[in-house]
Amino acid sequence: FFDFSERDHYHQLYMHPIKNDRGVTVGMLVFEIEIDHIKEILKKGYNNTKTHFNYIATLKGKEVIKLKKDKMTEISPEIITRTASEGFYISEYKNKDNIDVISLALQDKVYPWIMVVETDKSELYSVFFKLSMIFLSMFLLILIAVLVFGLITGRKIANPIVSM
């Protein structure tokens, strides 16, 4: 993998040696990776907003972008180091918009990139809170139903005995 820049934009190139049957390099296959296309694939089904954001970064901690005028996100050295050594890293921090986020960073197995997904911490935990409330409500409804059933059944059994 190799990248270089021109006056107003960057290029991301993938280079692979072509070898003959003796293992001698006889050429080089080079193609440009269209980073905007890769970003569109990443966005499918996942809306980048202030609470959800994903991007690709280099192993040097810089976001992979095409145009130089675009704002480049920098990743903390700790995330880069831990992701490079473990293959993934989950962390909590304040992002560039000062939002508490939970971040998952995954190292690509082919390219020297790290994919980072950030989600607003409060929004992520709100799902668990909503599920907990649904579970608690269902538990209370079932408990009330069991108590009512027990009272009715208990009275039906006890009334004939008491009336004797």
Side-chain angles (χ1 to χ4, degrees):
F1 179 77
F2 180 74
D3 67 339
F4 67 93
S5 64
E6 292 188 33
R7 184 174 42 85
D8 62 345
H9 65 282
Y10 299 99
H11 292 272
Q12 292 80 33
L13 303 177
Y14 180 77
M15 296 186 288
H16 188 80
I18 300 171
K19 298 182 180 187
N20 64 16
D21 54 350
R22 293 184 312 246
V24 177
T25 301
V26 293
M28 187 70 73
L29 174 66
V30 179
F31 61 90
E32 181 172 3
I33 298 169
E34 183 56 48
I35 198 63
D36 288 340
H37 180 69
I38 301 292
K39 285 183 174 186
E40 286 304 314
I41 291 171
L42 291 175
K43 286 181 187 178
K44 257 192 176 158
Y46 186 85
N47 296 325
N48 280 344
T49 64
K50 283 199 171 187
T51 58
H52 301 291
F53 189 69
N54 62 28
Y55 54 91
I56 298 171
T58 65
L59 295 178
K60 294 178 183 173
K62 305 282 187 186
E63 180 180 3
V64 179
I65 59 174
K66 181 168 184 170
L67 299 175
K68 287 185 175 183
K69 67 178 177 122
D70 292 342
K71 185 177 178 185
M72 187 181 291
T73 303
E74 290 193 31
I75 305 175
S76 78
E78 178 188 6
I79 293 174
I80 296 298
T81 305
R82 296 281 299 269
T83 304
S85 67
E86 299 171 22
F88 74 96
Y89 182 60
I90 299 173
S91 58
E92 295 181 26
Y93 56 87
K94 286 192 182 292
N95 69 3
K96 63 184 177 193
D97 297 319
N98 205 29
I99 297 172
D100 286 324
V101 296
I102 294 180
S103 170
L104 170 64
L106 297 167
Q107 184 173 6
D108 193 293
K109 293 180 180 176
V110 177
Y111 303 109
W113 290 343
I114 292 176
M115 180 174 167
V116 180
V117 178
E118 293 178 347
T119 302
D120 185 326
K121 184 176 173 181
S122 62
E123 189 171 332
L124 184 65
Y125 287 139
S126 73
V127 172
F128 297 114
F129 179 74
K130 287 176 188 175
L131 288 174
S132 298
M133 289 288 98
I134 290 170
F135 175 77
L136 184 61
S137 300
M138 294 299 287
F139 177 75
L140 288 175
L141 286 173
I142 291 170
L143 182 64
I144 291 169
V146 168
L147 287 174
V148 169
F149 177 75
L151 283 173
I152 292 171
T153 304
R155 284 189 181 162
K156 285 189 178 195
I157 293 172
N159 281 344
I161 295 173
V162 171
S163 63
M164 288 179 143

